[in-house]
Amino acid sequence: MQLTTNTTAFIEAEQYSSFILMNLHDGLLPDTFYRNVADFMHGSTLNIKTVGSVTLQEAAEDVALTYNPIESGEITFAITEYVGDAWYVTDDLREDGNQIDQLMSARGVESTRAIQEKFESDFLAVAANPYTLASDPFNVNGFAHHIVSAETNGVFGLDHLIELRLAADKANVPSTGRVFIVDPVVEATFNKKLSITNDVTPFASAILEKGLAEGQRFFSSWFGWDIMTSNRLYVGDANDGTTSISDAVYNIGMCILDDQTKPVMGAWRRMPKAEGERNKDRARDEFVVRGRYGFGIQRMDTLFCVATSATATE
């Protein structure tokens, strides 16, 4: 008579499902959010010329006009980021293990994803960087582009969207292509601020069912801003010269209508590429991935920031 109690040698200690549980990831922002500097093919730094505006003067008969030069300048863009990853699999593991090919495939996917997340985090950090360097409201034509929330507990307020809409209008920013990237904490704040009665519209019904954000995007455009969420916004101390918050999240607004209006420029010098080789001395297959890229600010008048609490929702 054979029982589990007297035939333990024939019972496998552990069984593994053929389904491999993968890491959960949120969505990535589209690459249309920055100007791809396609003409930057060589060298480490690109110099870009800028042209200012013209100020008219009063004219009169038989009176000479003053010859005024137009303001011009130059901004620079550099390839600053160099990232990589490396891993290997031994012959012993291939011989003794199970689903090793699937494991290596999943490892490659995770490597690519990690580089994508680093790329997006660097993009959002560069967008926030000017506001982290100075305690300044960054006024354009007299209206602030940088706001540190003075609301209770430093939460994001709907008035902030209205104020920055006005600032965008005063800066002659096109009304099309205005986006705001906020932390999911902000979305939770907005959810709590909404008052939905029993007269439920289809829009309100969708909010009740799914919340305001789904797939990294709010369902509606508010005060001219298309609002998206991201977990990779820059976090640090914030001060606009009037209000300060420690460890604030820098919610970023911008106009991405075209390459002339996008405030951030970026470029890949080397797209991530996986390379593999055989190490016969160690009896293993080795893989490496490397990538080079950079970001820079090309204009400030289409860039906006609201720094809020990274944790408080109300």
Side-chain angles (χ1 to χ4, degrees):
M1 181 175 61
Q2 299 300 130
L3 300 174
T4 56
T5 55
N6 61 12
T7 324
T8 55
F10 285 84
I11 299 176
E12 293 188 37
E14 295 182 63
Q15 289 285 346
Y16 290 90
S17 169
S18 60
F19 175 78
I20 298 177
L21 189 64
M22 308 290 285
N23 284 340
L24 296 177
H25 296 296
D26 52 1
L28 288 172
L29 295 173
D31 57 10
T32 53
F33 274 48
Y34 64 92
R35 179 171 80 89
N36 188 353
V37 188
D39 56 349
F40 187 25
M41 304 301 296
H42 305 285
S44 59
T45 303
L46 176 67
N47 298 303
I48 303 171
K49 296 178 176 61
T50 62
V51 178
S53 59
V54 171
T55 301
L56 297 179
Q57 55 188 289
E58 296 293 331
E61 184 180 3
D62 200 30
V63 176
L65 292 173
T66 301
Y67 291 86
N68 294 319
I70 191 171
E71 292 184 0
S72 62
E74 191 173 79
I75 57 175
T76 60
F77 169 74
I79 298 294
T80 57
E81 305 302 319
Y82 200 159
V83 296
D85 186 25
W87 67 96
Y88 64 82
V89 56
T90 64
D91 289 354
D92 289 7
L93 179 59
R94 287 192 184 277
E95 293 164 356
D96 299 342
N98 186 31
Q99 295 180 282
I100 303 305
D101 288 340
Q102 294 96 315
L103 173 62
M104 290 298 98
S105 176
R107 179 63 174 80
V109 170
E110 288 299 317
S111 177
T112 300
R113 176 67 189 206
I115 294 175
Q116 289 175 324
E117 291 183 0
K118 178 69 164 60
F119 185 80
E120 180 176 303
S121 296
D122 288 343
F123 162 73
L124 292 170
V126 166
N129 185 62
Y131 303 113
T132 68
L133 299 177
S135 302
D136 193 309
F138 285 83
N139 288 336
V140 177
N141 295 334
F143 289 84
H145 283 223
H146 178 211
I147 297 174
V148 176
S149 177
E151 299 283 327
T152 302
N153 297 323
V155 300
F156 201 114
L158 293 178
D159 283 350
H160 294 143
L161 292 177
I162 298 173
E163 291 169 11
L164 290 184
R165 173 178 178 166
L166 176 59
D169 290 342
K170 287 294 186 178
N172 299 315
V173 177
S175 59
T176 304
R178 295 180 185 179
V179 299
F180 227 105
I181 307 165
V182 302
D183 191 270
V185 167
V186 173
E187 190 253 344
T189 299
F190 286 173
N191 283 340
K192 291 183 178 182
K193 287 181 178 292
L194 285 177
S195 176
I196 300 177
T197 66
N198 57 3
D199 182 16
V200 179
T201 65
F203 173 67
S205 176
I207 293 174
L208 287 172
E209 181 181 352
K210 302 176 183 178
L212 278 173
E214 181 186 39
Q216 301 295 100
R217 183 177 179 85
F218 277 18
F219 288 136
S220 181
S221 175
W222 287 12
F223 307 112
W225 299 100
D226 288 327
I227 307 177
M228 305 178 70
T229 59
S230 174
N231 278 313
R232 281 172 283 280
L233 288 159
Y234 179 80
V235 175
D237 295 342
N239 191 331
D240 62 2
T242 303
T243 307
S244 62
I245 297 178
S246 298
D247 294 326
V249 61
Y250 282 68
N251 305 285
I252 297 296
M254 59 182 67
C255 179
I256 58 170
L257 176 62
D258 54 34
D259 284 348
Q260 282 290 341
T261 63
K262 294 174 183 177
V264 181
M265 52 186 169
W268 282 99
R269 174 52 52 82
R270 182 191 304 165
M271 291 292 292
K273 178 183 178 182
E275 300 176 284
E277 66 177 3
R278 175 70 179 169
N279 187 329
K280 63 180 180 59
D281 294 328
R282 293 182 177 273
R284 68 190 191 189
D285 296 321
E286 299 174 343
F287 306 90
V288 297
V289 177
R290 292 185 178 91
R292 295 179 64 205
Y293 61 88
F295 285 111
I297 299 293
Q298 68 173 8
R299 63 187 312 152
M300 290 292 297
D301 54 347
T302 60
L303 185 63
F304 308 85
C305 174
V306 177
T308 59
S309 169
T311 57
T313 61
E314 60 181 354

